[in-house]
């Protein structure tokens, strides 16, 4: 049974507020993770984060009487989704740990553009010329931020791009996931993927685990609690208002991420990053405007 989505102004306003709350919470989660990564190995962070998140979503599933181990949860689509989730989470956490938070946040904003590109290739969805142009303009923005061939280029920036591809693949797989798989189940297996990513990376890195001090321990706990709240708020936003109305507010994560990067980590914003982020945001908004215009005339 599908959830009824409101399409009136009040529902769209409430959905937009939930989206802004979600994006702010995701940015806070990233800040906690980046702070913890200054002391702890990445594998350890992913393991603790994954265990905490899957436990909380297991409790939510229990309250909702969802069957976590139903057959549909292990369908081929869900297995593919988990593989992309593992790649996305691992490389994204590596990116925010080793590169400026603001730059990684800019790269992440291109995820919807890559999803559209993937939908056209994998699902044979029709993509008009204007939308193709918008997608490629956004991807050019990513290239500008990464800056290959320039003095500011760092090979570590590729980590954020791989994380972006992982998240895009996860979102594409989610589109064809069985409808019997609830939000709490998706959240549970999403954090299972984080845990698996942590185990695999820890085995490869072979870095000794570190007993965290009080400050770092609070960062880990905070990242789990805020991360779960962010995910739940995102689902609430997508199920309250129209997609075309609430999705543009995803770009507020860029503002929060850049703000935290500058204020808390002393990061500097280059002209290159500002131009790239502008291209990504404008291309994304153009695509959403095109969708809304098409829906209005239908």
């Amino acid at each position: 049974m599908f959830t009824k989505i409101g399409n009136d102004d009040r529902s769209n306003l409430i959905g937009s507020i939930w989206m802004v709350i979600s994006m702010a919470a995701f940015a806070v989660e990233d800040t906690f993770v980046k702070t913890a990564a200054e002391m702890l190995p990445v594998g350890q962070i992913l393991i603790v984060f994954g265990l905490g998140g899957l436990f909380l979503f297991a409790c939510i599933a229990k309250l909702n009487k969802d069957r976590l181990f139903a057959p549909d949860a292990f369908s081929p689509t869900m297995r593919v989704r988990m593989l992309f989730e593992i790649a996305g989470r691992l490389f994204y956490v590596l990116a925010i740990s080793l590169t400026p938070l603001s730059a990684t946040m800019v790269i992440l904003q291109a995820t919807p553009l890559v999803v559209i590109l993937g939908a056209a290739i994998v699902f044979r969805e029709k993509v008009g010329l204007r939308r193709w142009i918008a997608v490629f303009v956004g991807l050019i923005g990513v290239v500008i931020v990464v800056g290959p061939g320039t003095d500011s280029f760092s090979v570590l920036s590729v980590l954020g791009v791989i994380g972006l591809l992982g998240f895009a693949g996860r979102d594409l797989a989610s589109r064809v996931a069985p409808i019997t798989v609830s939000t709490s189940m998706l959240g549970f297996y999403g954090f299972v993927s984080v845990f698996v990513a942590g185990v695999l990376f820890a085995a490869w890195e072979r870095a000794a685990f570190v007993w965290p001090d009080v400050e770092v321990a609070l960062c880990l706990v905070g990242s789990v609690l805020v991360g779960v709240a962010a995910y739940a708020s995102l689902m609430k936003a997508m199920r309250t208002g129209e997609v075309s109305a609430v999705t543009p507010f995803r770009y507020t994560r860029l503002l929060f991420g850049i703000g935290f990067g500058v204020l808390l980590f002393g990061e500097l914003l280059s002209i290159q990053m500002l131009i790239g982020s502008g291209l990504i945001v404008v291309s994304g908004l153009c695509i959403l405007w095109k969708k809304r215009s098409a829906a209005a005339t239908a």
Side-chain angles (χ1 to χ4, degrees), residues 228-253:
V228 170
Y231 188 91
S233 299
L234 177 61
M235 294 299 101
K236 182 71 174 177
M238 298 304 292
R239 294 183 175 187
T240 301
E242 296 173 288
V243 172
S244 59
V246 303
T247 298
F249 289 91
R250 278 180 176 268
Y251 291 108
T252 57
R253 184 173 182 174

Side-chain angles (χ1 to χ4, degrees), residues 136-259:
F136 283 113
V137 167
L139 296 180
I140 289 172
V142 173
V143 173
I144 291 175
V145 173
V146 175
T150 64
D151 294 336
S152 61
F153 173 71
S154 170
V155 70
L156 294 177
S157 300
V158 178
L159 296 173
V161 176
I162 298 175
L164 153 71
L165 295 175
F167 286 141
R170 175 202 63 187
D171 291 349
L172 286 170
S174 297
R175 292 192 57 181
V176 290
I179 61 173
T180 54
V181 179
S182 65
T183 297
S184 60
M185 293 170 67
L186 288 175
F188 174 79
Y189 285 104
F191 278 94
V192 168
S193 301
V194 176
F195 172 74
V196 172
V199 171
L200 293 175
F201 189 75
W204 178 82
E205 186 182 30
R206 296 184 179 179
F209 281 15
V210 177
W211 187 261
D213 58 25
V214 175
E215 180 182 351
V216 174
L218 289 175
C219 283
L220 288 175
V221 173
S223 68
V224 172
L225 295 177
V226 176
V228 170
Y231 188 91
S233 299
L234 177 61
M235 294 299 101
K236 182 71 174 177
M238 298 304 292
R239 294 183 175 187
T240 301
E242 296 173 288
V243 172
S244 59
V246 303
T247 298
F249 289 91
R250 278 180 176 268
Y251 291 108
T252 57
R253 184 173 182 174
L254 183 62
L255 300 177
F256 291 119
I258 290 178

Side-chain angles (χ1 to χ4, degrees), residues 43-233:
Q44 181 179 351
I45 293 173
L46 287 169
I47 289 173
V48 174
F49 185 65
L51 284 174
L54 69 88
F55 173 76
L56 289 178
F57 270 112
C59 293
I60 295 173
K62 181 71 174 178
L63 291 174
N64 293 337
K65 297 181 180 180
D66 294 329
R67 294 175 57 200
L68 287 178
F69 304 105
D72 282 347
F74 302 97
S75 65
T77 300
M78 286 294 291
R79 291 199 294 269
V80 170
R81 184 183 186 276
M82 285 190 68
L83 290 175
F84 277 115
E85 181 88 60
I86 289 171
R89 286 287 187 172
L90 173 58
F91 286 97
Y92 181 66
V93 170
L94 283 172
I96 63 176
S97 302
L98 301 175
T99 65
L101 178 64
S102 52
T104 305
M105 201 68 66
V106 170
I107 293 172
L108 184 67
Q109 300 314 302
T111 302
L113 305 176
V114 179
V115 170
I116 291 173
L117 183 62
I121 297 172
V122 178
F123 301 133
R124 306 288 183 180
E125 288 190 3
K126 288 186 176 181
V127 178
L129 179 60
R130 292 181 183 177
R131 195 173 296 174
W132 275 120
I133 293 174
V135 167
F136 283 113
V137 167
L139 296 180
I140 289 172
V142 173
V143 173
I144 291 175
V145 173
V146 175
T150 64
D151 294 336
S152 61
F153 173 71
S154 170
V155 70
L156 294 177
S157 300
V158 178
L159 296 173
V161 176
I162 298 175
L164 153 71
L165 295 175
F167 286 141
R170 175 202 63 187
D171 291 349
L172 286 170
S174 297
R175 292 192 57 181
V176 290
I179 61 173
T180 54
V181 179
S182 65
T183 297
S184 60
M185 293 170 67
L186 288 175
F188 174 79
Y189 285 104
F191 278 94
V192 168
S193 301
V194 176
F195 172 74
V196 172
V199 171
L200 293 175
F201 189 75
W204 178 82
E205 186 182 30
R206 296 184 179 179
F209 281 15
V210 177
W211 187 261
D213 58 25
V214 175
E215 180 182 351
V216 174
L218 289 175
C219 283
L220 288 175
V221 173
S223 68
V224 172
L225 295 177
V226 176
V228 170
Y231 188 91
S233 299

